[in-house]
Amino acid sequence: MTAATNGRRSRIRVDWPSCQARGLCHELLPELIDLDPWGYPLVLGEVPPELTAAARAAAANCPKRALRLESR
Amino acid sequence: MRPVVGPGPWLLRSPDPSLETHRSTYRPLTTTSAENLASSAEAAALRGRGGAAFPFATKLRAVAARRGRKHVVVNLSEGEPASAKDAALVLTAPHLVLDGAELVARALGVSEVHLAVPDEHRWISEHLERAIAERPRTGRRRFRWRFHEVAARFVSGEASAVTELVSGRANLPVTSWVPTAIEGVRGQPTLLSNAETFAQLAALVLDPGSARPTDDEPGTRLLSLNYASGPIRVVEVWHGTPWCAVLDAEQLSRPVLLGGYHGTWVAGGALRNRTVSAADLADLGSGLGAGVVIPLDEGECPVHRTNLILGYLAGQSARRCGPCLRGLPALAAAFDDLAHGGELDPVLELAGLVEGRGACAHPDGTVRLVRSALKTFGTEIEAHAHGTCTGRALITAAVTA
């Protein structure tokens, strides 16, 4: 079984209609979230285990509740 | 504008849309299990005809396996202006669509069906209402048909936007965290399919003898043929029909846009020895989507045509997802610049920024069109960079709005 099917590796998903480009996710998780020219998040990849807590915090602190962490 | 509907070999074979004629062609409606319907659909390799081509049997089984209240939605909204096949079905074989929906509803133990109809074409609802009035009331409880008017916007007919509308919310796409089959209308399991899919299912179940099976793709396809002028022509062909029976030699010698505004271009001549089949089109890196076919007029420049369509698509954003709201107009502007001799890089960069970043398929579909144009018309784009255009651009050719 790989780490992915183990549920240790997760994926960040953006609820695009909710996202208002506040940019907090990039502040909290610059390792995985960049911002595009308009300020919307660019998710750079899957969440490695060591960043799971930070990713969870980024999702929890989005003022628009537009980020979700999905385990795969 | 109403389509011109050619006679067809299978769904469109009834000479008139009346219930009487319909019943003389097909078996009477019965109640059968969801698994029976799924098996029939699976044997015929029936895939959704709204564009996504999802296997119908898989969807039906997913809904049937859930407990509790379920919903059945027939999507007749046809938000793409180049598509008129669902309208054609309503004009010529409304009872086939209704039978397909009622078969599914009965199998799922549902006593009502939601019909998502385009609000800009009132005649579609009127034709359906007339057909419904002809149908006998059966069963202990009265079977109900509920109409929902879908806004005249490209993305309003997208599955999640229709599900929202039927749930009593704004008719706009939303993020689907879970498939509609599991959480659809009001969060309950929902079988939402395109009108042609229901019609195909009804024909398979109520007239199993006359389906003409081919090796891997039995059944027919409804195609919306868009010529430079005049109404859309809807034809029905068996899978495996050569393209030269659908388009003339001149049209086949020029590029053809398949799958509509979210579709892919195939180069001039590429379809000449090919058939209307998923395998042949996949070979060409293309697909039929919802069955829209757009041949070019004589002397029409495909780069300009793409440019016109992109301008239209950019204006069709629901304006809720940032990358689509901001990115599509920028992408359309960059492509317009490219079409007039500008740089390629901004087009590529913006395409990358839009792709995969929206609640619905609008950004991805638009990028698909852009990429296929870049791939297919490299020489023409190069010519534009040097100030020439091989086609005398019919820049005024209207992208129907």
Side-chain angles (χ1 to χ4, degrees), chain B residues 188-212:
Chain B
Q188 292 157 339
T190 299
L191 192 130
L192 181 149
S193 281
N194 170 259
E196 184 192 345
T197 317
F198 282 107
Q200 292 278 357
L201 178 75
L204 286 168
V205 174
L206 303 177
D207 185 19
S210 64
R212 192 179 79 170

Side-chain angles (χ1 to χ4, degrees), chain B residues 46 55 61 94 119 387 401:
Chain B
L46 179 60
R61 286 186 180 122
D119 76 349

Side-chain angles (χ1 to χ4, degrees), chain B residues 330-372:
Chain B
L331 176 60
F335 194 91
D336 183 67
D337 192 42
L338 177 70
H340 293 92
E343 297 287 315
L344 173 63
D345 284 351
V347 175
L348 293 174
E349 191 184 322
L350 286 159
L353 281 177
V354 166
E355 206 166 27
R357 301 176 75 216
C360 78
H362 191 49
D364 287 11
T366 306
V367 169
R368 188 180 312 127
L369 174 72
V370 169
R371 291 202 198 284
S372 89

Side-chain angles (χ1 to χ4, degrees), chain A residues 13-20 34-43 65-68 70, chain B residues 173-178 320-323 325-327 330 349-350 352-354 356-359:
Chain A
R13 279 188 67 188
V14 181
D15 182 14
W16 292 108
S18 298
C19 177
Q20 299 298 319
D34 207 347
L35 295 181
D36 72 12
W38 311 291
Y40 296 96
L42 277 167
V43 181
R65 296 242 164 243
L67 277 196
R68 277 202 194 184
E70 288 189 336
Chain B
V174 294
T175 305
S176 300
W177 303 104
V178 182
R320 292 222 289 194
C321 302
L325 164 67
R326 308 289 227 110
E349 191 184 322
L350 286 159
L353 281 177
V354 166
R357 301 176 75 216

